[in-house]
Amino acid sequence: MDFAPVEGMARKPLANAGKPTRYWIGVASREHVALGQAGGFCQLCHGKAQPLKRMSVGDWIIYYSPKEVMDESTPCQKFTAIGRVVGAEVYSFEMFPGFVPFRRDIDFLQAAQAPIRPMLHKLSFIQDKSRWGYSFRFGHLEIPRHDFEIIASAMLDYIPQGFLAYGMAPE
């Protein structure tokens, strides 16, 4: 499998000014994640700016989708997208009159969706394995690199050596 962005998305140079790379989980319905992938952006916590400002260019984000569609009950319970923060700016975008959420540009990779249940016992950021959904309640959380690698390997079927395809040196 090639370590490639979503078709049609161009790679952008990374410039995180020597900051250590951080790893994030965003929470959104699979339907909303697909819209972000198609447009090369992420939105978090119903369009709030602050979660996006916590991230830096060069950080990684994985989306977890508890449901297929936001206002429906069909469960998804999968990690549905993985990408790298490439946009230095947090910007607003009017989706429709009265709703102007904030966004950040992301270089999404071609990846498979990965069910969460088979990896629950491996993920350290999930403290209570019997109430694992509680970990996602705030819609955006930082995770350890090791947990990121577990999820990414399930989605990409491998972890590139040192993420060198993205210019990330091993830490």
Side-chain angles (χ1 to χ4, degrees), residues 46 93-101:
H46 304 286
F93 181 85
E94 184 173 33
M95 291 187 70
F96 52 84
F99 183 56
V100 185

Side-chain angles (χ1 to χ4, degrees), residues 78-152:
K78 296 177 184 172
F79 294 103
T80 51
I82 181 172
R84 193 96 191 250
V85 178
V86 293
E89 301 298 321
V90 172
Y91 59 92
S92 59
F93 181 85
E94 184 173 33
M95 291 187 70
F96 52 84
F99 183 56
V100 185
F102 289 90
R103 293 179 171 181
R104 188 99 186 241
D105 290 339
I106 303 292
D107 188 7
F108 285 103
L109 305 179
Q110 293 286 353
Q113 295 181 24
I116 190 172
R117 288 185 186 272
M119 61 183 93
L120 283 174
H121 68 285
K122 299 177 190 174
L123 299 173
S124 68
F125 75 91
I126 298 176
Q127 300 295 311
D128 183 347
K129 307 302 186 196
S130 67
R131 300 185 199 298
W132 57 267
Y134 192 69
S135 301
F136 301 102
R137 72 193 176 281
F138 295 117
H140 185 239
L141 63 143
E142 187 173 3
I143 63 171
R145 178 179 176 152
H146 177 73
D147 286 352
F148 173 85
E149 290 174 347
I150 290 168
I151 301 164

